[in-house]
Structures are given as structure tokens and as C-alpha cells.
């Protein structure tokens, strides 16, 4: 399982995660800067949010941070790419405006596939 599955993340490993309020969402401190940057660049990202429960919204915002963090890594495994794509699908179902993130993940897949093609 990848990072978005809840395994191997600091959230899943520690019962005491320091939370911060960012743009009305409760996020782990480690994601606060990422989320603030996203809202600064894309202020309407949550305008179509279809989720009502605050705790569920927080979960989606944490997924957003995880996917963004993963896109900043230079290399990805196929499992990580699939994990990011699953996260994108969930975020879109929740109504978040993330076309820009979907493009980043698609580019990551293209780069992975090109590298795999060169290997063969």
C-alpha cells in the first residue's frame, strides 16, 4: 500500500499529531504550509466542495496535501502514481477544483512511462 492508504504516514503512526487550522480546515502541522500555499495559489479550490461533515472535509484536505507532497518528489514508482491517481479521483468526487493537480500527476505518469520505455 502507498502513502495515501494510511500506511506509512506520520498520521497513521502517531496518536498525537499536532493539528493546525488552515483556511478553516484542521490539518497536521506538517501539511499546514502546503495547504496554505495551495489556497494562496488556488483560492477557489474548495468552492465546489460537496462534503458536509468537517472531519470528512479535513480528510480530503489531508489527501490533497499528501498528493501535492508526492508530486514534488523527483521519481515515483508505479504504485505511487496509482496512489496519487486514486487520490485525485477521490478529490474530484468530493468537488475540489484540482485540474492543475491532475495535470501534474498525469505528467508524472508520462515521465514514469517514458523512463520504463527507455529501460526496455
Amino acid at each position: 500500500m502507498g502513502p495515501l492508504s494510511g500506511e506509512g504516514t506520520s498520521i497513521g503512526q502517531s496518536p498525537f499529531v499536532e493539528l493546525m487550522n488552515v483556511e478553516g480546515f484542521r490539518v497536521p502541522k506538517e501539511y499546514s504550509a502546503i495547504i496554505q500555499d495551495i489556497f494562496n495559489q488556488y483560492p477557489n479550490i474548495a468552492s465546489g466542495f460537496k462534503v458536509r461533515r468537517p472531519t470528512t472535509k479535513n480528510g480530503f484536505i489531508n489527501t490533497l496535501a499528501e498528493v501535492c507532497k508526492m508530486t514534488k518528489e523527483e521519481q515515483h514508482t508505479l504504485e505511487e502514481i496509482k496512489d496519487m491517481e486514486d487520490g485525485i479521483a477521490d478529490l474530484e468526487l468530493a468537488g475540489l477544483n484540482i485540474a492543475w493537480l491532475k495535470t501534474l500527476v498525469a505528467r508524472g505518469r508520462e515521465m514514469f512511462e517514458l523512463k520504463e520505455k527507455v529501460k526496455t
Side-chain angles (χ1 to χ4, degrees), residues 31-87:
Y31 293 150
S32 62
I34 295 170
I35 294 300
Q36 190 61 63
D37 288 345
I38 292 168
F39 274 88
N40 288 343
Q41 287 186 304
Y42 307 97
N44 295 323
I45 190 168
S47 63
F49 224 161
K50 297 176 185 173
V51 180
R52 293 184 180 165
R53 296 189 70 228
T55 54
T56 305
K57 284 183 178 183
N58 294 337
F60 280 107
I61 295 299
N62 290 331
T63 297
L64 173 64
E66 290 170 358
V67 173
C68 285
K69 184 176 178 181
M70 290 174 71
T71 63
K72 296 179 189 320
E73 297 170 7
E74 287 199 25
Q75 294 186 15
H76 300 100
T77 65
L78 183 58
E79 183 178 317
E80 289 170 333
I81 291 168
K82 288 179 180 178
D83 220 16
M84 288 187 288
E85 290 170 340
D86 288 346

Side-chain angles (χ1 to χ4, degrees), residues 4-46:
L4 299 182
S5 66
E7 291 182 23
T9 65
S10 61
I11 296 170
Q13 293 175 352
S14 174
F16 304 106
V17 175
E18 185 178 353
L19 298 176
M20 299 188 69
N21 189 9
V22 179
E23 299 293 328
F25 300 100
R26 301 285 293 159
V27 298
K29 185 177 182 178
E30 70 177 294
Y31 293 150
S32 62
I34 295 170
I35 294 300
Q36 190 61 63
D37 288 345
I38 292 168
F39 274 88
N40 288 343
Q41 287 186 304
Y42 307 97
N44 295 323
I45 190 168

